[in-house]
Amino acid sequence: MTPMLPEFDEWLNNALVEEAAMAGETVETYIARAAAGRMVIERARRVDADIQELLARVRAANLDVPGPITGDSVVSNPDRLRALYDSGLLNAERARSLDRVVGMVVGALGVPSAAVSLVDRDTQYMCSAIGLRGEVVRTRQGPSEGSLGREIVASGKPLILEDVRKEPHLIDYFAVRNGYIVAYAGFPLKDGQDHTIGTLGAWDTRPRRWSPGHIQLMEDFVMMIRARIFGIAPD
């Protein structure tokens, strides 16, 4: 007999049975895999010391989540989240050490705005920034969903656009829809294991062409930040 979860009504229980069958698993295994995934994410977020043991036990029990790598799975990857938390940049004191670099980006590229952004599972933090607009000026954070930073974390590649409004899949993003960002040049910030914890981004409220010189400067600033955060020597 299929177990009924206490919080599930009949419709939800039937949906659970269907999803487990589509995954080729018993309901018990399907539930165990979902619970294991949630445990890994939450312990990674808290930077618990036993996260590696938990990961090992989940893998040994064959309960790690299968399937192709998607944007969501990259953003929620426990190893990536651990790299983010280990960076210490969610601490405002340490993040202030990047203020000078962000100021150099604004001066070198002649843009009104630039920031180092950190992408958590659900939240994007502007840990060091110049030229913010809107509510984010006060909070220095917002949902990661629908943010350009999340796009870069998911792909692991730079996002360089003369006019973001010409990209159909980005036009409804909050900062684009509200006119805060038109031209954008964002680069991934990666640790030594290739985990992207956030971005270095520069932007303007009008279209502009990013020259090869601009791109080279941003890559140099990224190397400077990586050296400062992770001790990675410039290439």
Side-chain angles (χ1 to χ4, degrees):
M1 180 177 179
T2 301
M4 172 71 79
L5 293 180
E7 295 83 359
F8 278 26
D9 58 19
E10 184 177 357
W11 190 96
L12 286 172
N13 188 63
N14 288 336
L16 172 62
V17 173
E18 292 175 4
E19 291 298 326
M22 291 178 65
E25 299 175 343
T26 65
V27 171
E28 291 83 359
T29 299
Y30 189 86
I31 293 172
R33 193 184 305 282
R38 177 66 182 271
M39 289 168 62
V40 168
I41 289 171
E42 294 303 327
R43 293 201 182 191
R45 185 190 297 275
R46 295 194 304 267
V47 199
D48 283 4
D50 64 352
I51 181 65
Q52 293 303 325
E53 180 178 356
L54 175 61
L55 283 168
R57 289 178 178 272
V58 166
R59 289 165 183 155
N62 197 30
L63 292 176
D64 47 336
V65 179
I69 296 176
T70 65
D72 286 344
S73 65
V74 171
V75 172
S76 299
N77 180 281
D79 293 331
R80 189 198 75 84
L81 292 173
R82 181 64 179 266
L84 167 62
Y85 305 143
D86 285 351
S87 75
L89 291 179
L90 291 176
N91 179 290
E93 276 297 321
R94 185 168 189 199
R96 271 198 285 271
S97 68
L98 300 178
D99 288 351
R100 184 177 178 187
V101 178
V102 172
M104 292 168 65
V105 170
V106 168
L109 273 68
V111 292
S113 307
V116 172
S117 302
L118 305 173
V119 179
D120 203 340
R121 183 166 176 260
D122 302 309
T123 306
Q124 177 174 250
Y125 300 95
M126 304 289 195
C127 72
S128 181
I130 292 175
L132 297 180
R133 298 175 62 190
E135 178 65 13
V136 74
V137 173
R138 181 181 63 83
T139 63
R140 291 295 184 102
Q141 66 183 64
S144 64
E145 188 69 34
S147 70
L148 297 178
R150 186 184 177 96
E151 288 283 314
I152 294 172
V153 168
S155 71
K157 300 177 181 178
L159 182 64
I160 303 169
L161 298 167
E162 295 183 13
D163 191 336
V164 185
R165 299 169 300 182
K166 294 181 179 180
E167 303 297 321
H169 69 294
L170 301 176
I171 188 64
D172 287 329
Y173 280 24
F174 177 81
V176 180
R177 186 176 68 246
N178 287 277
Y180 300 150
I181 296 178
V182 175
Y184 181 77
F187 293 75
L189 295 176
K190 299 185 179 186
D191 72 353
Q193 285 69 52
D194 209 39
H195 298 124
T196 303
I197 68 167
T199 67
L200 173 64
W203 64 94
D204 205 335
T205 54
R206 58 182 177 80
R208 64 175 293 163
R209 185 178 70 86
W210 302 102
S211 70
H214 291 145
I215 294 171
Q216 183 61 61
L217 281 169
M218 288 293 282
E219 291 175 345
D220 291 345
F221 287 130
V222 165
M223 286 193 293
M224 188 183 303
I225 293 172
R226 294 180 74 210
R228 184 167 299 186
I229 300 172
F230 301 114
I232 299 172
D235 295 334

